[in-house]
């Protein structure tokens, strides 16, 4: 009879054990350090420097962050981008995730035909390139050659059409809803997988007690998938505060009109690489990236220590 794996590992010489660990984990750890840890540390280090007219670097400590948060030239676009990023995230939380929960609940209904087809059609936009999605929706919503106006007129709602992507009051929300349309399949699939893991005995007992599908979902299934919903929420937070590609593909680096759709990702791009309105400033760009990192870190820590810990205590 073969020895248990734990006994084999315990009796293995320490040098050999370390060698095996290094052989299996070393390559992955090296790739992670080179492409994730080192760029992060280098960015933080760069944010503490400034350059003179000759391009020489000088250490200034936290001066770049003070300038970013308080200087009139830098603080106004930064706080505008941060506010827009928060709105971008709220739209996803209030629209994308509830729709994902509802779609997952519908797909989990017993007896529903063509479930695989529905899942594929809903998840399909997620696999499309963001550039393609942005370009396609720009054409659809265009007041010159788009089909949106004609479609609304066909159902008697033509008066509701406006150049939503061209108005400062609606551009950001419109882009947020485009992002929702593309990525709603992700929370749907995660919640659907969690619903499939619910024991059938609980659902059968609820049916015996006379509960319908809606009440079973609301009172039995939904509380059991709350940890998954919490995980989806923090994933949405991280993804939204890292967002860049959709805004850039539709509105460019200036995130118009009049910076109405500017978020932290596009603000960082303009700051670091420059554009037709300003020269690139790598040190200030690194400061923006560092602030973005700490915003995301704060959100993740809040989830882990305030929400996830309570869920674990409740489970115990």
């Amino acid at each position: 009879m073969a020895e248990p794996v734990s006994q084999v590992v315990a009796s293995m010489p320490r040098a050999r054990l370390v060698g095996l660990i290094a052989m299996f984990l070393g390559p992955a750890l090296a790739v992670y350090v080179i492409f994730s840890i080192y760029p992060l540390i280098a960015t933080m280090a760069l944010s503490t420097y400034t350059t003179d007219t000759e391009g020489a670097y000088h250490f200034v400590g936290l001066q770049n962050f003070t300038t970013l948060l308080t200087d009139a030239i830098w603080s106004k676009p930064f706080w505008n981008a941060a506010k827009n990023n928060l709105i971008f995230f709220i739209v996803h939380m209030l629209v994308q995730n509830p729709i994902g929960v509802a779609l997952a609940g519908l797909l989990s209904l017993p007896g529903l035909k063509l479930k695989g087809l529905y899942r594929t059609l809903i998840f399909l936009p997620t696999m499309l390139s963001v550039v393609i999605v942005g370009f396609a929706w720009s054409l659809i919503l265009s007041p010159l050659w788009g089909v949106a106006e004609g479609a609304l007129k066909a159902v008697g709602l033509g008066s509701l059409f406006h150049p939503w992507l061209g108005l400062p009051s609606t551009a950001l929300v419109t882009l947020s809803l485009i992002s929702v349309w593309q990525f709603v399949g992700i929370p749907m699939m995660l919640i659907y997988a969690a619903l499939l893991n619910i024991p059938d005995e609980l659902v059968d007992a609820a049916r015996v007690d006379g509960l319908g599908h809606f009440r079973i979902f609301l009172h039995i299934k939904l509380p059991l998938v709350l940890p998954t919903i919490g995980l989806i929420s923090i994933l949405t937070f991280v993804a939204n505060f890292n967002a860049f590609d959709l805004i850039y593909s539709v509105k460019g680096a200036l995130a118009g009109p009049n910076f109405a759709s500017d978020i932290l990702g596009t603000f960082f791009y303009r700051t670091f690489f420059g554009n037709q309105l300003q020269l690139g400033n790598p040190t200030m760009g690194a400061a923006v990236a560092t602030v973005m990192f700490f915003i995301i870190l704060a959100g993740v820590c809040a989830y882990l220590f305030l929400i996830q810990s309570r869920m674990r205590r409740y489970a115990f």
Side-chain angles (χ1 to χ4, degrees):
M1 182 176 178
E3 292 185 86
V5 177
S6 58
Q7 294 183 7
V8 173
V9 174
S11 60
M12 186 178 298
R14 182 177 296 274
R16 185 179 180 185
L17 179 60
V18 172
L20 287 175
I21 293 175
M23 181 178 66
F24 286 106
L25 296 183
L29 181 61
V31 170
Y32 183 73
V33 169
I34 293 172
F35 293 102
S36 294
I37 301 300
Y38 172 73
L40 175 63
I41 296 175
T43 299
M44 291 183 175
L46 182 62
S47 68
T48 61
Y49 286 83
T50 188
T51 56
D52 56 24
T53 56
E54 297 180 353
Y57 287 90
H58 303 280
F59 181 77
V60 292
L62 300 178
Q63 182 60 43
N64 287 336
F65 298 97
T66 303
T67 301
L68 179 65
L69 299 177
T70 61
D71 184 80
I73 297 177
W74 289 99
S75 64
K76 184 177 179 180
F78 170 77
W79 289 115
N80 175 66
K83 180 197 69 175
N84 290 341
N85 223 144
L86 182 61
I87 295 173
F88 193 76
F89 166 67
I90 291 174
V91 171
H92 281 77
M93 286 295 295
L94 296 182
V95 180
Q96 174 184 278
N97 292 350
I99 291 177
V101 172
L103 291 174
L106 292 174
L107 290 175
S108 67
L109 290 175
L112 180 65
K113 298 180 180 179
L114 302 176
K115 289 183 180 181
L117 177 62
Y118 298 147
R119 290 198 304 267
T120 302
L121 292 177
I122 296 171
F123 193 77
L124 183 61
T126 304
M127 297 182 289
L128 297 177
S129 168
V130 177
V131 176
I132 294 176
V133 170
F135 180 72
W137 277 101
S138 297
L139 294 178
I140 292 171
L141 299 177
S142 171
L144 298 178
W145 51 73
V147 299
E149 184 177 8
L152 289 175
K153 287 181 178 179
V155 295
L157 299 175
S159 60
L160 297 179
F161 179 80
H162 296 284
W164 292 300
L165 287 174
L167 297 176
S169 59
T170 58
L172 179 63
V173 175
T174 303
L175 289 167
S176 302
L177 294 177
I178 293 173
S179 178
V180 166
W181 171 83
Q182 182 178 12
F183 294 111
V184 70
I186 294 177
M188 179 201 71
M189 293 300 292
L190 292 174
I191 297 171
Y192 178 69
L195 290 173
L196 292 180
N197 289 326
I198 296 177
D200 293 334
E201 292 80 5
L202 293 176
V203 179
D204 294 337
R207 289 201 187 99
V208 171
D209 290 338
L211 297 182
H213 292 305
F214 178 74
R215 296 183 65 187
I216 289 176
F217 178 78
L218 186 63
H219 298 291
I220 304 297
K221 294 182 177 180
L222 187 59
L224 294 175
V225 298
L226 284 180
T228 304
I229 294 176
L231 176 62
I232 291 171
S233 299
I234 195 61
L235 291 176
T236 303
F237 175 82
V238 173
N240 288 169
F241 277 87
N242 272 324
F244 164 76
D245 40 13
L246 178 63
I247 307 294
Y248 183 79
S249 63
V250 177
K251 289 297 181 182
L254 296 181
N258 195 26
F259 303 106
S261 58
D262 193 22
I263 58 176
L264 291 173
T266 51
F267 176 63
F268 159 75
Y269 179 88
R270 291 197 313 275
T271 302
F272 194 97
F273 296 103
N275 57 85
Q276 57 266 42
L277 297 182
Q278 67 184 71
L279 295 175
N281 190 330
T283 57
M284 287 300 296
V288 175
T290 302
V291 171
M292 292 173 62
F293 168 75
F294 280 109
I295 290 174
I296 295 172
L297 180 63
V300 172
C301 290
Y303 168 76
L304 292 176
F305 294 108
L306 299 180
I307 299 177
Q308 188 69 15
S309 59
R310 291 185 180 182
M311 288 184 178
R312 290 177 179 175
R313 287 198 298 267
Y314 177 77
F316 290 139

